[in-house]
Amino acid sequence: MKMTRRALIAASCLSLAAGAAAQTIVIGGQTGFRDLTIRSTYSIPITSTGSFTNIARWAESRRGRLWLRNPAGSPGSIKVGTKAGTQNKALDSYSTTALYTLAPGEEVYEENGGLAWLAWSADTTAPADLTLVIEVECLVAPATAATTTVKRAVTTSGRKQFSVANPTTYADAGLIGPSKDGSLIFRRKAGASGTLGWASAAAFAADPVNVVWTYCDNAVAPNDASAGSGIVSVFETEDGELLIGLISSGSFGSIRKSSGWSANRQTATFTQVLSIGGTKPDQEYSLHQWAARGATVWAAESGPQTAGGSGNVSTDNGRAVRLWRSDDNGNGSSWVVDLDIRDFAASQGVPYPAGVHLHGYAYDAVAKRLWVCYGDDTGQGDDIAGLANAQVIYKDDGTTTWQKMALPLNWKAPSSTVNSNQYITAAPLADVVVFTADVSKPIAPFAMRRSTGTMELLGSTDQPGLNGRVTRTGGVVVMPGLVTGRAAGTYKAKAMLSMDELSYNEVSVPHTLSASGASGAKWGMVAGSKIILQLGGNGAGFVVADLAYS
């Protein structure tokens, strides 16, 4: 397969929110130019026979080739077909215009991009581990308007990709996440949720069992009202102190700030600076996020949706509806409500909205803009957004008005029955802003290209990403995904990885659910030649695996 050349690629020290100058890495031996084609490679399990259950839709406005591969050594053949039609998030019916049976070691590509691809097993019973590999190319300039479907033997790509090997699962579910620079990893001590620990990320990745942890026992005082809550997030502020987010099994959460952290972490003391509503341990994608612009820090509530209606105002006051802001590094009296999603809904003609709450958020230092995602389509999130808008709003520096994010022309839904896309969070990078998908609305993560404003397909159709913890450590963007509602069993926890923020490929590790729940990864980080993935769902622990880029 002949691939577009790769080039100088910005990597290591680029913050998700900063877009700072970065170390350059040369990929594929090419130098002297940078190719801005967005690419993504991922896989979907094929479990059906006779008709499709898997759909690969296509990026619209800057589309290159869409590749479908049945890998060499595959346990069976895969039938693939195409369907012409609009490229929104629903396929009402299908009639195949082309049918192919891909034997192991064959691939097919379609160059126009105006079709949806359907896939199913060619056998009477789908073999175990039958997998279709998909690769998409989203060009800087529009593709040539020609429909060409070609079947050929799988050829070796000259483009480097990530792979994992030797995954080991550990039972500890107390990991919190990486420090800003990725040098440390934080955890809460088992049985002592107020005890905050940290260790070298590299040492932890090398030997998770025997790594030396250091603890501060003052994160939550024994007589504090929030004792028994779990520390789910930490954030290093500009003044050298630490903010921690706590949640409980009830409907409250809190933020505490350290004093003396930079002088001596072990003896630092913590004081509650904000009590917030709506947080629950199984819904951490807002409170654990954080966003910052210098001394300004944002923290959003996370968890239950609004009940709606004028009679439920007091109930909804405790739901995940507010985005808080501090202009003084999170110190106590500085917190104010920057956004109440109910007020924004009312301004859009939806008073007392039902079934809405805040998702993730991020400050974009390149665009000087704060992004906020909300939902849901199951409630009145789409009514707030209005037809042809995403359930995303933003506010630019120096302004006070929240603006809606319009869907690109090719992703506008045709009717009010199929309305706006909803996302879990935004992750601002130098060339793109990544939006992680909320289950199947839309079908996959997307990247908004800064140069054109177009949205390009990034991710997997079967691992949509019900979480918002996109990180960049060791120069690698890690975008994990969760799938909810699965029965007990063994699945694959997946993550999309990128070195250059334009080319993504999927890696996976085993994940065994001891009981029904969500499977997949909640967050991940890279330390040296290892990747760490925190698992979600029942029986959650973490996985450490060798990471290669070749």
Side-chain angles (χ1 to χ4, degrees):
M1 178 177 77
K2 183 178 179 181
M3 304 300 296
T4 306
R5 297 177 299 171
R6 302 302 301 161
L8 291 174
I9 294 174
S12 290
C13 302
L14 185 60
S15 164
L16 281 174
Q23 172 185 341
T24 58
I25 294 178
V26 178
I27 296 180
Q30 304 293 333
T31 59
F33 58 89
R34 189 172 186 204
D35 177 6
L36 296 181
T37 298
I38 298 177
R39 293 182 180 83
S40 181
T41 303
Y42 55 97
S43 62
I44 56 174
I46 302 299
T47 58
S48 65
T49 60
S51 63
F52 76 96
T53 56
N54 300 101
I55 305 170
R57 271 153 286 197
W58 191 203
E60 315 306 329
S61 54
R62 295 291 188 272
R63 50 184 174 258
R65 288 178 175 176
L66 170 66
W67 298 85
L68 302 177
R69 301 190 190 108
N70 190 3
S74 168
S77 296
I78 301 173
K79 282 194 174 183
V80 294
T82 62
K83 174 192 179 297
T86 56
Q87 302 299 294
N88 53 60
K89 61 185 178 182
L91 285 177
D92 300 323
S93 63
Y94 80 96
S95 59
T96 55
T97 58
L99 283 174
Y100 298 94
T101 298
L102 290 180
E106 287 187 324
E107 67 185 6
V108 63
Y109 70 79
E110 198 280 323
E111 201 150 31
N112 178 286
L115 303 170
W117 284 83
L118 319 169
W120 60 94
S121 172
D123 297 316
T124 304
T125 302
D129 297 324
L130 186 63
T131 300
L132 182 69
V133 176
I134 299 175
E135 180 170 331
V136 298
E137 298 176 2
C138 304
L139 308 178
V140 178
T144 304
T147 302
T148 306
T149 308
V150 178
K151 181 180 175 182
R152 54 180 288 174
V154 172
T155 55
T156 303
S157 169
R159 182 166 59 86
K160 290 187 177 182
Q161 294 192 338
F162 289 96
S163 60
V164 297
N166 306 314
T168 302
T169 302
Y170 301 87
D172 188 346
L175 297 185
I176 298 172
S179 60
K180 272 185 181 179
D181 63 5
S183 64
L184 298 177
I185 187 167
F186 291 96
R187 77 183 295 262
R188 55 184 176 270
K189 194 172 184 179
S193 58
T195 302
L196 177 66
W198 57 91
S200 160
F204 174 82
D207 189 352
V209 174
N210 297 307
V211 66
V212 176
W213 293 93
T214 306
Y215 290 96
C216 172
D217 294 326
N218 301 323
V220 177
N223 60 350
D224 193 285
S226 58
S229 298
I231 302 173
V232 295
S233 61
V234 299
F235 184 77
E236 297 150 288
T237 53
E238 194 178 55
D239 59 359
E241 297 297 338
L242 194 72
L243 292 171
I244 60 174
L246 299 102
I247 55 177
S248 80
S249 57
S251 58
F252 74 91
S254 64
I255 296 175
R256 301 178 66 86
K257 186 173 182 185
S258 71
S259 176
W261 179 259
S262 58
N264 188 328
R265 295 172 184 159
Q266 287 183 267
T267 60
T269 57
F270 287 79
T271 302
Q272 182 167 309
V273 293
L274 184 65
S275 178
I276 58 180
T279 52
K280 294 177 65 179
D282 59 343
Q283 294 170 310
E284 301 168 15
Y285 49 70
S286 290
L287 179 58
H288 69 200
Q289 285 243 297
W290 309 96
R293 179 194 61 213
T296 297
V297 182
W298 288 271
E301 298 169 342
S302 166
Q305 300 171 336
T306 55
S310 59
N312 288 312
V313 172
S314 59
T315 298
D316 287 344
N317 280 338
R319 303 295 170 90
V321 295
R322 285 168 287 261
L323 174 71
W324 294 84
R325 187 191 79 239
S326 165
D327 293 321
D328 186 24
N329 290 298
N331 287 314
S333 60
S334 63
W335 289 95
V336 297
V337 175
D338 202 2
L339 168 71
D340 189 317
I341 194 61
R342 297 171 297 177
D343 294 338
F344 181 77
S347 74
Q348 305 303 308
V350 189
Y352 310 112
V356 299
H357 60 173
L358 292 178
H359 290 184
Y361 52 99
Y363 180 72
D364 186 340
V366 178
K368 300 188 183 306
R369 169 178 293 177
L370 181 68
W371 297 97
V372 177
C373 305
Y374 65 93
D376 283 47
D377 271 353
T378 53
Q380 291 185 279
D382 53 355
D383 295 328
I384 299 170
L387 187 64
N389 294 310
Q391 292 175 57
V392 178
I393 55 178
Y394 63 88
K395 183 169 65 172
D396 292 328
D397 285 1
T399 68
T400 58
T401 303
W402 292 97
Q403 305 286 340
K404 294 181 180 181
M405 186 179 86
L407 292 174
L409 287 175
N410 295 51
W411 286 95
K412 287 184 178 180
S415 69
S416 59
T417 59
V418 182
N419 201 350
S420 59
N421 289 350
Q422 65 189 49
Y423 302 95
I424 290 298
T425 197
L429 301 168
D431 289 316
V432 298
V433 182
V434 173
F435 292 89
T436 60
D438 186 357
V439 194
S440 58
K441 306 168 184 178
I443 58 165
F446 279 76
M448 175 185 286
R449 193 189 297 275
R450 292 192 186 277
S451 60
T452 62
T454 56
M455 294 285 275
E456 317 292 4
L457 178 70
L458 280 185
S460 166
T461 52
D462 75 313
Q463 194 83 351
L466 185 63
N467 71 96
R469 300 193 75 168
V470 180
T471 62
R472 187 165 199 165
T473 49
V476 181
V477 179
V478 181
M479 182 169 53
L482 285 171
V483 178
T484 59
R486 282 185 159 170
T490 299
Y491 301 93
K492 291 181 179 180
K494 300 180 180 180
M496 300 292 289
L497 305 186
S498 176
M499 183 70 82
D500 66 344
E501 73 193 52
L502 296 172
S503 296
Y504 292 78
N505 76 273
E506 180 186 86
V507 298
S508 64
V509 296
H511 179 200
T512 299
L513 287 180
S514 59
S516 60
S519 71
K522 295 171 67 174
W523 60 267
M525 68 175 293
V526 172
S529 61
K530 303 283 188 177
I531 185 170
I532 303 163
L533 292 173
Q534 176 69 48
L535 302 175
N538 293 291
F542 65 91
V543 172
V544 177
D546 295 327
L547 182 66
Y549 188 57
S550 59

